[in-house]
Amino acid sequence: MIAHSRKPGPRPRRSGSLGGASLAGGDAPGLPARLRVWLAVMCGRLVAACHRRTGRAGAGTVAGRIVLRLAPGALRVLTVPLEVVLVSGTNGKTTTTRFVAETLRQAGAVASNETGANMPGGIVTALARAGRAGFGAFEVDERYLPALCAQVAPRAIVLLNLSRDQLDRNPETVLLAQAWRDALRGGHARVVVANCDDPLVCWAASAAARVFWVSTGAGWPHDSWSCPACGGPLERPSARHWSCQSCGLARPAPHWELKERSIVSARTGRTYDLRLRIPGEINYANAAMAVAAGAALGVPPPEAARSLTRVRSVAGRYQVAEVHGRRIRLLLAKNPASWTEVLEILRWSPGALLMLNARALDGHDTSWIWDVDFRRLAGVPVFVTGARRLDLALRLHVADVRHDVVASLREACERAPEGRLDVVANYTAFLDVLREVRRP
């Protein structure tokens, strides 16, 4: 059980107004504000139900969008009864959020956007569906984190990493880190749990009043070779050590450290095994962040670690399904950092289908595929499809990886050698596959 009471002391002060009701001083919103939000939630649920019945896209976020249109301050009202944890970063948000939610469920019901809808509309949709929850675990898009911090007053924030993603619509990583730093300096969160092996995250989190540092190793260091504080070069003798020779910014000593498949407390020296049912070494890093977050909230680490064994898939990721007479496993890869981790999973794959789209949710710029070392796929039977399959085929050709271009998932299933087919897709391609798998 969680050691602290559900409402341990006064919540951080909030300012602003909602529907004419003042929220200064952290007082509960007045009846007019709550009534307005309640009516907005009813309208949102009705529209979402219509979307589902007619098969229209966007049913997972439309309720939240409607609520925010009718009651712009709904996030403040809906999160007042909750102890909220926000999870943000470029990679691993959805999985880490699911892990955090599992640790909190030992103490009570948890509201969470576990489908990956991580912008305000998706978070409000999850809150509207939650019912009577005492805790909230929400993943947040990196750009929206500062605004969410100000509105939600989270008990804890978990910061994973920062790397390039969706280059045509996202700012440079150092600008995101600066926005995070400014928000955390405002004291919106009581505690921050941060990856100290990422210099950008470390610099941003160091502005917070209370930080628990977690060392998980830097799997993708190529977006942080310059010091975020002064712009000088960083020295990185290993995946877990970095420092700036110009201003002295350096990796702090961690409170928690991931060692192979266990997490170690620097304070007590105790080791807690992480036994996961989803593949990929990166998920042990995500699990370590979740256990550290749970410990910061009072969840005993052994209980937190045990709770993670219940997770078998995350929003369809790592799911194994039957489609077109073939057993497939679904994997998501959307940028160089996530591809680096997925390639480790594919080393012994009996066959892989790579799917690349470039729709609005993916980002239209696919130049990032040239930063991925696809040579690691040598020897794996590879098929390529998606709207930008020819871009990906050219990249594989330059990497000297033999592959076949196919028109669809069905064709890949028919042509792939016997055994499981690993399907690796970016956002919209992944959603396309999920719809095909779930089709009656």
Side-chain angles (χ1 to χ4, degrees), residues 329-388:
R329 178 172 61 173
L330 281 65
L331 303 169
L332 177 74
K334 59 191 180 75
N335 54 37
S338 57
W339 258 108
T340 298
E341 303 300 339
V342 167
L343 287 172
E344 185 68 23
I345 298 175
L346 296 179
R347 282 194 300 170
W348 298 282
S349 175
L353 171 64
L354 316 185
M355 305 181 68
L356 182 67
N357 286 346
R359 301 174 193 161
L361 285 177
D362 307 304
H364 299 298
D365 185 348
T366 60
S367 62
W368 57 266
I369 63 176
W370 292 90
D371 291 333
V372 180
D373 186 8
F374 285 106
R375 293 174 296 178
R376 296 166 66 185
L377 285 172
V380 176
V382 175
F383 298 85
V384 178
T385 194
R388 302 296 285 270

Short mmCIF file of all heavy atoms in Angstrom, two decimals, residues 329-388:
data_model
loop_
_atom_site.label_atom_id
_atom_site.label_comp_id
_atom_site.label_asym_id
_atom_site.label_seq_id
_atom_site.Cartn_x
_atom_site.Cartn_y
_atom_site.Cartn_z
N ARG A 329 3.67 -9.90 -34.76
CA ARG A 329 3.91 -9.13 -33.53
C ARG A 329 4.04 -7.67 -33.93
O ARG A 329 4.77 -7.32 -34.85
CB ARG A 329 5.18 -9.61 -32.82
CG ARG A 329 5.50 -8.80 -31.57
CD ARG A 329 6.63 -9.40 -30.76
NE ARG A 329 7.89 -9.45 -31.50
CZ ARG A 329 9.06 -9.82 -30.97
NH1 ARG A 329 9.10 -10.19 -29.70
NH2 ARG A 329 10.15 -9.83 -31.70
N LEU A 330 3.35 -6.78 -33.20
CA LEU A 330 3.29 -5.38 -33.55
C LEU A 330 4.30 -4.58 -32.74
O LEU A 330 4.32 -4.66 -31.51
CB LEU A 330 1.89 -4.81 -33.31
CG LEU A 330 0.82 -5.12 -34.36
CD1 LEU A 330 0.50 -6.60 -34.42
CD2 LEU A 330 -0.46 -4.33 -34.06
N LEU A 331 5.11 -3.77 -33.45
CA LEU A 331 6.10 -2.92 -32.81
C LEU A 331 5.98 -1.51 -33.38
O LEU A 331 5.67 -1.34 -34.57
CB LEU A 331 7.52 -3.46 -33.06
CG LEU A 331 7.79 -4.90 -32.60
CD1 LEU A 331 9.12 -5.39 -33.16
CD2 LEU A 331 7.79 -4.98 -31.09
N LEU A 332 6.23 -0.52 -32.55
CA LEU A 332 6.16 0.88 -32.98
C LEU A 332 7.55 1.48 -33.01
O LEU A 332 8.33 1.33 -32.07
CB LEU A 332 5.28 1.68 -32.02
CG LEU A 332 5.16 3.18 -32.31
CD1 LEU A 332 4.27 3.42 -33.52
CD2 LEU A 332 4.62 3.93 -31.10
N ALA A 333 7.89 2.16 -34.12
CA ALA A 333 9.16 2.90 -34.22
C ALA A 333 8.88 4.17 -35.00
O ALA A 333 8.39 4.11 -36.13
CB ALA A 333 10.23 2.06 -34.89
N LYS A 334 9.24 5.32 -34.41
CA LYS A 334 8.83 6.58 -35.02
C LYS A 334 9.94 7.59 -35.21
O LYS A 334 9.72 8.65 -35.78
CB LYS A 334 7.73 7.23 -34.18
CG LYS A 334 8.15 7.52 -32.74
CD LYS A 334 6.94 7.90 -31.89
CE LYS A 334 7.34 8.19 -30.44
NZ LYS A 334 7.99 9.49 -30.31
N ASN A 335 11.14 7.30 -34.73
CA ASN A 335 12.27 8.21 -34.85
C ASN A 335 13.56 7.42 -34.68
O ASN A 335 13.52 6.22 -34.36
CB ASN A 335 12.15 9.36 -33.83
CG ASN A 335 11.98 8.85 -32.41
OD1 ASN A 335 12.57 7.85 -32.01
ND2 ASN A 335 11.17 9.54 -31.62
N PRO A 336 14.71 8.03 -34.89
CA PRO A 336 15.97 7.27 -34.79
C PRO A 336 16.16 6.59 -33.44
O PRO A 336 16.66 5.46 -33.37
CB PRO A 336 17.05 8.33 -35.04
CG PRO A 336 16.38 9.36 -35.88
CD PRO A 336 14.97 9.42 -35.38
N ALA A 337 15.78 7.25 -32.36
CA ALA A 337 15.97 6.66 -31.04
C ALA A 337 15.16 5.39 -30.87
O ALA A 337 15.66 4.37 -30.39
CB ALA A 337 15.61 7.68 -29.96
N SER A 338 13.88 5.43 -31.24
CA SER A 338 13.04 4.24 -31.07
C SER A 338 13.43 3.15 -32.04
O SER A 338 13.38 1.96 -31.71
CB SER A 338 11.56 4.60 -31.21
OG SER A 338 11.29 5.20 -32.45
N TRP A 339 13.88 3.51 -33.26
CA TRP A 339 14.34 2.49 -34.21
C TRP A 339 15.57 1.78 -33.68
O TRP A 339 15.74 0.57 -33.88
CB TRP A 339 14.63 3.12 -35.57
CG TRP A 339 13.54 2.89 -36.55
CD1 TRP A 339 12.64 3.80 -37.03
CD2 TRP A 339 13.22 1.65 -37.19
NE1 TRP A 339 11.78 3.20 -37.91
CE2 TRP A 339 12.12 1.89 -38.04
CE3 TRP A 339 13.74 0.36 -37.11
CZ2 TRP A 339 11.54 0.88 -38.80
CZ3 TRP A 339 13.17 -0.64 -37.88
CH2 TRP A 339 12.08 -0.39 -38.71
N THR A 340 16.44 2.50 -33.01
CA THR A 340 17.65 1.88 -32.45
C THR A 340 17.28 0.78 -31.47
O THR A 340 17.90 -0.30 -31.46
CB THR A 340 18.51 2.94 -31.75
OG1 THR A 340 18.93 3.92 -32.71
CG2 THR A 340 19.75 2.33 -31.11
N GLU A 341 16.25 1.01 -30.68
CA GLU A 341 15.81 0.00 -29.71
C GLU A 341 15.11 -1.16 -30.40
O GLU A 341 15.31 -2.33 -30.04
CB GLU A 341 14.89 0.64 -28.67
CG GLU A 341 15.51 1.80 -27.92
CD GLU A 341 16.75 1.43 -27.14
OE1 GLU A 341 16.94 0.23 -26.85
OE2 GLU A 341 17.55 2.33 -26.81
N VAL A 342 14.29 -0.86 -31.40
CA VAL A 342 13.56 -1.93 -32.10
C VAL A 342 14.50 -2.83 -32.87
O VAL A 342 14.30 -4.05 -32.95
CB VAL A 342 12.49 -1.31 -33.03
CG1 VAL A 342 11.94 -2.36 -34.00
CG2 VAL A 342 11.35 -0.73 -32.21
N LEU A 343 15.55 -2.27 -33.46
CA LEU A 343 16.51 -3.10 -34.20
C LEU A 343 17.15 -4.14 -33.31
O LEU A 343 17.50 -5.23 -33.77
CB LEU A 343 17.58 -2.20 -34.84
CG LEU A 343 17.11 -1.38 -36.05
CD1 LEU A 343 18.20 -0.40 -36.47
CD2 LEU A 343 16.74 -2.28 -37.21
N GLU A 344 17.29 -3.82 -32.04
CA GLU A 344 17.82 -4.81 -31.09
C GLU A 344 16.85 -5.99 -30.96
O GLU A 344 17.27 -7.15 -30.89
CB GLU A 344 18.04 -4.15 -29.73
CG GLU A 344 18.70 -5.02 -28.69
CD GLU A 344 20.15 -5.35 -29.01
OE1 GLU A 344 20.79 -4.58 -29.76
OE2 GLU A 344 20.65 -6.38 -28.51
N ILE A 345 15.55 -5.71 -30.96
CA ILE A 345 14.54 -6.77 -30.86
C ILE A 345 14.53 -7.63 -32.12
O ILE A 345 14.29 -8.84 -32.06
CB ILE A 345 13.15 -6.15 -30.63
CG1 ILE A 345 13.13 -5.37 -29.31
CG2 ILE A 345 12.06 -7.21 -30.63
CD1 ILE A 345 11.83 -4.63 -29.05
N LEU A 346 14.82 -7.01 -33.28
CA LEU A 346 14.71 -7.71 -34.57
C LEU A 346 15.92 -8.57 -34.93
O LEU A 346 15.91 -9.22 -35.97
CB LEU A 346 14.47 -6.69 -35.69
CG LEU A 346 13.17 -5.89 -35.64
CD1 LEU A 346 13.11 -4.92 -36.81
CD2 LEU A 346 11.95 -6.82 -35.65
N ARG A 347 16.93 -8.58 -34.11
CA ARG A 347 18.17 -9.27 -34.49
C ARG A 347 17.93 -10.73 -34.85
O ARG A 347 18.59 -11.27 -35.73
CB ARG A 347 19.19 -9.18 -33.35
CG ARG A 347 19.89 -7.85 -33.25
CD ARG A 347 21.10 -7.93 -32.35
NE ARG A 347 20.74 -8.34 -30.99
CZ ARG A 347 21.64 -8.67 -30.06
NH1 ARG A 347 22.93 -8.68 -30.36
NH2 ARG A 347 21.24 -9.01 -28.84
N TRP A 348 17.01 -11.40 -34.16
CA TRP A 348 16.75 -12.83 -34.44
C TRP A 348 15.35 -13.04 -34.99
O TRP A 348 14.77 -14.10 -34.85
CB TRP A 348 16.93 -13.63 -33.15
CG TRP A 348 18.34 -13.54 -32.63
CD1 TRP A 348 19.43 -14.21 -33.09
CD2 TRP A 348 18.79 -12.72 -31.56
NE1 TRP A 348 20.55 -13.87 -32.37
CE2 TRP A 348 20.19 -12.95 -31.42
CE3 TRP A 348 18.18 -11.83 -30.69
CZ2 TRP A 348 20.96 -12.31 -30.45
CZ3 TRP A 348 18.95 -11.19 -29.73
CH2 TRP A 348 20.32 -11.43 -29.62
N SER A 349 14.81 -12.01 -35.64
CA SER A 349 13.46 -12.12 -36.16
C SER A 349 13.41 -13.05 -37.37
O SER A 349 14.27 -13.00 -38.25
CB SER A 349 12.95 -10.73 -36.58
OG SER A 349 11.68 -10.83 -37.20
N PRO A 350 12.40 -13.93 -37.46
CA PRO A 350 12.25 -14.78 -38.64
C PRO A 350 11.80 -14.01 -39.87
O PRO A 350 11.88 -14.52 -40.99
CB PRO A 350 11.19 -15.81 -38.21
CG PRO A 350 10.43 -15.14 -37.11
CD PRO A 350 11.40 -14.23 -36.41
N GLY A 351 11.31 -12.81 -39.70
CA GLY A 351 10.88 -11.97 -40.81
C GLY A 351 10.33 -10.66 -40.30
O GLY A 351 9.70 -10.63 -39.23
N ALA A 352 10.57 -9.57 -41.03
CA ALA A 352 10.13 -8.25 -40.56
C ALA A 352 9.49 -7.47 -41.70
O ALA A 352 10.00 -7.45 -42.82
CB ALA A 352 11.31 -7.46 -39.99
N LEU A 353 8.37 -6.84 -41.40
CA LEU A 353 7.71 -5.91 -42.31
C LEU A 353 7.86 -4.51 -41.75
O LEU A 353 7.41 -4.23 -40.64
CB LEU A 353 6.23 -6.26 -42.47
CG LEU A 353 5.38 -5.24 -43.24
CD1 LEU A 353 5.85 -5.14 -44.69
CD2 LEU A 353 3.89 -5.59 -43.16
N LEU A 354 8.48 -3.61 -42.52
CA LEU A 354 8.68 -2.23 -42.10
C LEU A 354 7.67 -1.36 -42.81
O LEU A 354 7.57 -1.39 -44.05
CB LEU A 354 10.11 -1.77 -42.43
CG LEU A 354 11.25 -2.74 -42.10
CD1 LEU A 354 12.59 -2.09 -42.39
CD2 LEU A 354 11.17 -3.23 -40.66
N MET A 355 6.94 -0.55 -42.05
CA MET A 355 5.88 0.28 -42.61
C MET A 355 6.14 1.75 -42.29
O MET A 355 6.34 2.09 -41.12
CB MET A 355 4.52 -0.14 -42.06
CG MET A 355 4.19 -1.61 -42.25
SD MET A 355 2.56 -2.08 -41.62
CE MET A 355 1.48 -1.22 -42.76
N LEU A 356 6.14 2.59 -43.31
CA LEU A 356 6.44 4.02 -43.11
C LEU A 356 5.40 4.88 -43.82
O LEU A 356 5.23 4.80 -45.04
CB LEU A 356 7.84 4.34 -43.66
CG LEU A 356 8.31 5.78 -43.48
CD1 LEU A 356 8.51 6.11 -42.01
CD2 LEU A 356 9.60 6.03 -44.26
N ASN A 357 4.71 5.70 -43.05
CA ASN A 357 3.81 6.72 -43.57
C ASN A 357 4.37 8.10 -43.25
O ASN A 357 5.32 8.22 -42.47
CB ASN A 357 2.41 6.59 -42.96
CG ASN A 357 1.63 5.40 -43.50
OD1 ASN A 357 2.01 4.82 -44.53
ND2 ASN A 357 0.55 5.04 -42.83
N ALA A 358 3.76 9.13 -43.81
CA ALA A 358 4.18 10.51 -43.51
C ALA A 358 2.95 11.40 -43.48
O ALA A 358 2.87 12.42 -44.17
CB ALA A 358 5.19 11.00 -44.53
N ARG A 359 1.96 11.01 -42.68
CA ARG A 359 0.77 11.81 -42.51
C ARG A 359 1.00 12.84 -41.40
O ARG A 359 2.08 12.90 -40.82
CB ARG A 359 -0.42 10.91 -42.17
CG ARG A 359 -0.70 9.86 -43.26
CD ARG A 359 -1.78 8.89 -42.83
NE ARG A 359 -1.84 7.73 -43.72
CZ ARG A 359 -2.41 6.58 -43.40
NH1 ARG A 359 -2.98 6.43 -42.21
NH2 ARG A 359 -2.42 5.57 -44.25
N ALA A 360 -0.03 13.61 -41.11
CA ALA A 360 0.14 14.71 -40.15
C ALA A 360 0.62 14.21 -38.79
O ALA A 360 1.51 14.80 -38.17
CB ALA A 360 -1.18 15.46 -39.99
N LEU A 361 0.07 13.09 -38.30
CA LEU A 361 0.46 12.58 -36.99
C LEU A 361 1.89 12.05 -36.98
O LEU A 361 2.52 11.98 -35.92
CB LEU A 361 -0.49 11.47 -36.55
CG LEU A 361 -1.87 11.90 -36.07
CD1 LEU A 361 -2.73 10.68 -35.75
CD2 LEU A 361 -1.79 12.83 -34.87
N ASP A 362 2.41 11.66 -38.15
CA ASP A 362 3.77 11.12 -38.23
C ASP A 362 4.81 12.22 -38.37
O ASP A 362 5.96 12.04 -37.98
CB ASP A 362 3.91 10.19 -39.45
CG ASP A 362 2.85 9.12 -39.49
OD1 ASP A 362 2.73 8.38 -38.51
OD2 ASP A 362 2.14 9.02 -40.52
N GLY A 363 4.39 13.34 -38.97
CA GLY A 363 5.35 14.33 -39.45
C GLY A 363 5.64 14.03 -40.92
O GLY A 363 5.85 12.87 -41.30
N HIS A 364 5.63 15.06 -41.75
CA HIS A 364 5.82 14.85 -43.19
C HIS A 364 7.27 14.64 -43.59
O HIS A 364 7.56 14.12 -44.66
CB HIS A 364 5.24 16.04 -43.97
CG HIS A 364 3.76 16.23 -43.76
ND1 HIS A 364 2.83 15.28 -44.12
CD2 HIS A 364 3.08 17.25 -43.20
CE1 HIS A 364 1.61 15.72 -43.80
NE2 HIS A 364 1.74 16.91 -43.24
N ASP A 365 8.18 15.03 -42.73
CA ASP A 365 9.62 14.92 -43.02
C ASP A 365 10.12 13.54 -42.61
O ASP A 365 10.11 13.19 -41.42
CB ASP A 365 10.37 16.01 -42.26
CG ASP A 365 11.85 16.06 -42.59
OD1 ASP A 365 12.36 15.12 -43.23
OD2 ASP A 365 12.50 17.05 -42.21
N THR A 366 10.56 12.73 -43.57
CA THR A 366 11.08 11.39 -43.26
C THR A 366 12.60 11.33 -43.39
O THR A 366 13.17 10.23 -43.42
CB THR A 366 10.46 10.34 -44.19
OG1 THR A 366 10.77 10.67 -45.55
CG2 THR A 366 8.95 10.27 -44.02
N SER A 367 13.27 12.47 -43.44
CA SER A 367 14.72 12.45 -43.60
C SER A 367 15.43 11.76 -42.44
O SER A 367 16.57 11.32 -42.57
CB SER A 367 15.26 13.88 -43.75
OG SER A 367 14.99 14.66 -42.59
N TRP A 368 14.75 11.62 -41.31
CA TRP A 368 15.36 10.99 -40.13
C TRP A 368 15.73 9.53 -40.37
O TRP A 368 16.56 8.98 -39.65
CB TRP A 368 14.43 11.11 -38.93
CG TRP A 368 13.07 10.52 -39.14
CD1 TRP A 368 11.94 11.17 -39.54
CD2 TRP A 368 12.69 9.15 -38.95
NE1 TRP A 368 10.88 10.30 -39.63
CE2 TRP A 368 11.31 9.05 -39.27
CE3 TRP A 368 13.36 8.00 -38.54
CZ2 TRP A 368 10.62 7.86 -39.19
CZ3 TRP A 368 12.67 6.80 -38.48
CH2 TRP A 368 11.32 6.73 -38.79
N ILE A 369 15.13 8.88 -41.36
CA ILE A 369 15.45 7.46 -41.58
C ILE A 369 16.92 7.28 -41.96
O ILE A 369 17.47 6.19 -41.79
CB ILE A 369 14.54 6.82 -42.65
CG1 ILE A 369 14.74 7.48 -44.02
CG2 ILE A 369 13.09 6.88 -42.23
CD1 ILE A 369 13.94 6.81 -45.13
N TRP A 370 17.58 8.34 -42.42
CA TRP A 370 19.00 8.23 -42.80
C TRP A 370 19.90 8.23 -41.57
O TRP A 370 21.11 7.95 -41.68
CB TRP A 370 19.38 9.35 -43.77
CG TRP A 370 18.67 9.15 -45.07
CD1 TRP A 370 17.45 9.63 -45.43
CD2 TRP A 370 19.13 8.35 -46.16
NE1 TRP A 370 17.12 9.19 -46.69
CE2 TRP A 370 18.13 8.40 -47.17
CE3 TRP A 370 20.29 7.60 -46.41
CZ2 TRP A 370 18.25 7.75 -48.38
CZ3 TRP A 370 20.41 6.95 -47.62
CH2 TRP A 370 19.40 7.01 -48.59
N ASP A 371 19.36 8.51 -40.40
CA ASP A 371 20.13 8.43 -39.16
C ASP A 371 20.04 7.06 -38.50
O ASP A 371 20.69 6.82 -37.49
CB ASP A 371 19.65 9.49 -38.16
CG ASP A 371 19.99 10.90 -38.61
OD1 ASP A 371 20.98 11.06 -39.34
OD2 ASP A 371 19.26 11.83 -38.25
N VAL A 372 19.20 6.18 -39.04
CA VAL A 372 19.01 4.85 -38.47
C VAL A 372 19.99 3.87 -39.11
O VAL A 372 20.11 3.82 -40.34
CB VAL A 372 17.56 4.37 -38.68
CG1 VAL A 372 17.38 2.98 -38.07
CG2 VAL A 372 16.57 5.36 -38.08
N ASP A 373 20.66 3.09 -38.30
CA ASP A 373 21.63 2.11 -38.81
C ASP A 373 20.91 0.81 -39.16
O ASP A 373 20.92 -0.16 -38.40
CB ASP A 373 22.71 1.85 -37.76
CG ASP A 373 23.83 0.95 -38.29
OD1 ASP A 373 23.83 0.66 -39.52
OD2 ASP A 373 24.70 0.54 -37.50
N PHE A 374 20.31 0.79 -40.35
CA PHE A 374 19.55 -0.38 -40.78
C PHE A 374 20.45 -1.56 -41.13
O PHE A 374 19.94 -2.65 -41.38
CB PHE A 374 18.68 -0.02 -41.99
CG PHE A 374 17.46 0.79 -41.64
CD1 PHE A 374 17.41 2.15 -41.94
CD2 PHE A 374 16.38 0.22 -41.00
CE1 PHE A 374 16.29 2.90 -41.63
CE2 PHE A 374 15.26 0.96 -40.69
CZ PHE A 374 15.21 2.31 -41.00
N ARG A 375 21.75 -1.36 -41.15
CA ARG A 375 22.64 -2.49 -41.44
C ARG A 375 22.48 -3.61 -40.44
O ARG A 375 22.82 -4.77 -40.73
CB ARG A 375 24.10 -2.01 -41.46
CG ARG A 375 24.43 -1.05 -42.60
CD ARG A 375 25.83 -0.50 -42.47
NE ARG A 375 25.96 0.30 -41.25
CZ ARG A 375 27.10 0.87 -40.87
NH1 ARG A 375 28.21 0.71 -41.59
NH2 ARG A 375 27.16 1.59 -39.76
N ARG A 376 21.94 -3.30 -39.28
CA ARG A 376 21.72 -4.32 -38.25
C ARG A 376 20.64 -5.32 -38.65
O ARG A 376 20.44 -6.33 -37.97
CB ARG A 376 21.37 -3.64 -36.93
CG ARG A 376 22.52 -2.78 -36.40
CD ARG A 376 22.07 -1.85 -35.29
NE ARG A 376 21.66 -2.55 -34.10
CZ ARG A 376 21.15 -1.93 -33.03
NH1 ARG A 376 21.01 -0.61 -33.03
NH2 ARG A 376 20.80 -2.64 -31.96
N LEU A 377 19.92 -5.05 -39.75
CA LEU A 377 18.91 -5.99 -40.24
C LEU A 377 19.50 -7.02 -41.20
O LEU A 377 18.75 -7.86 -41.73
CB LEU A 377 17.79 -5.23 -40.97
CG LEU A 377 16.80 -4.47 -40.08
CD1 LEU A 377 15.88 -3.62 -40.94
CD2 LEU A 377 16.00 -5.43 -39.21
N ALA A 378 20.79 -6.97 -41.44
CA ALA A 378 21.42 -7.92 -42.36
C ALA A 378 21.11 -9.35 -41.94
O ALA A 378 21.28 -9.72 -40.77
CB ALA A 378 22.93 -7.70 -42.40
N GLY A 379 20.64 -10.14 -42.89
CA GLY A 379 20.31 -11.54 -42.62
C GLY A 379 18.86 -11.78 -42.25
O GLY A 379 18.42 -12.93 -42.22
N VAL A 380 18.11 -10.72 -41.94
CA VAL A 380 16.69 -10.86 -41.61
C VAL A 380 15.87 -10.67 -42.89
O VAL A 380 16.10 -9.70 -43.63
CB VAL A 380 16.26 -9.81 -40.57
CG1 VAL A 380 14.76 -9.89 -40.30
CG2 VAL A 380 17.04 -9.98 -39.28
N PRO A 381 14.92 -11.58 -43.22
CA PRO A 381 14.04 -11.35 -44.37
C PRO A 381 13.20 -10.10 -44.14
O PRO A 381 12.42 -10.04 -43.19
CB PRO A 381 13.17 -12.62 -44.41
CG PRO A 381 13.95 -13.65 -43.65
CD PRO A 381 14.68 -12.89 -42.59
N VAL A 382 13.35 -9.09 -44.99
CA VAL A 382 12.73 -7.79 -44.77
C VAL A 382 11.77 -7.47 -45.91
O VAL A 382 12.10 -7.64 -47.09
CB VAL A 382 13.79 -6.67 -44.66
CG1 VAL A 382 13.13 -5.30 -44.56
CG2 VAL A 382 14.69 -6.92 -43.45
N PHE A 383 10.59 -6.96 -45.55
CA PHE A 383 9.60 -6.46 -46.50
C PHE A 383 9.29 -5.01 -46.13
O PHE A 383 9.38 -4.63 -44.96
CB PHE A 383 8.33 -7.31 -46.46
CG PHE A 383 8.56 -8.74 -46.85
CD1 PHE A 383 8.99 -9.66 -45.91
CD2 PHE A 383 8.39 -9.15 -48.16
CE1 PHE A 383 9.22 -10.98 -46.27
CE2 PHE A 383 8.62 -10.47 -48.53
CZ PHE A 383 9.04 -11.39 -47.57
N VAL A 384 8.93 -4.21 -47.12
CA VAL A 384 8.70 -2.78 -46.91
C VAL A 384 7.37 -2.40 -47.53
O VAL A 384 7.07 -2.79 -48.67
CB VAL A 384 9.83 -1.94 -47.54
CG1 VAL A 384 9.55 -0.46 -47.35
CG2 VAL A 384 11.17 -2.31 -46.94
N THR A 385 6.56 -1.63 -46.79
CA THR A 385 5.32 -1.10 -47.33
C THR A 385 5.00 0.22 -46.65
O THR A 385 5.77 0.72 -45.84
CB THR A 385 4.17 -2.11 -47.18
OG1 THR A 385 3.07 -1.69 -48.00
CG2 THR A 385 3.72 -2.22 -45.72
N GLY A 386 3.83 0.80 -46.99
CA GLY A 386 3.44 2.10 -46.44
C GLY A 386 3.48 3.17 -47.52
O GLY A 386 4.04 2.97 -48.61
N ALA A 387 2.93 4.33 -47.20
CA ALA A 387 2.88 5.42 -48.18
C ALA A 387 4.26 5.88 -48.61
O ALA A 387 4.44 6.33 -49.75
CB ALA A 387 2.09 6.60 -47.59
N ARG A 388 5.26 5.78 -47.75
CA ARG A 388 6.62 6.19 -48.09
C ARG A 388 7.55 4.99 -48.18
O ARG A 388 8.72 5.06 -47.82
CB ARG A 388 7.13 7.20 -47.04
CG ARG A 388 6.26 8.43 -46.91
CD ARG A 388 6.22 9.28 -48.18
NE ARG A 388 7.42 10.02 -48.36
CZ ARG A 388 7.63 11.24 -47.87
NH1 ARG A 388 6.67 11.84 -47.19
NH2 ARG A 388 8.76 11.86 -48.08
#
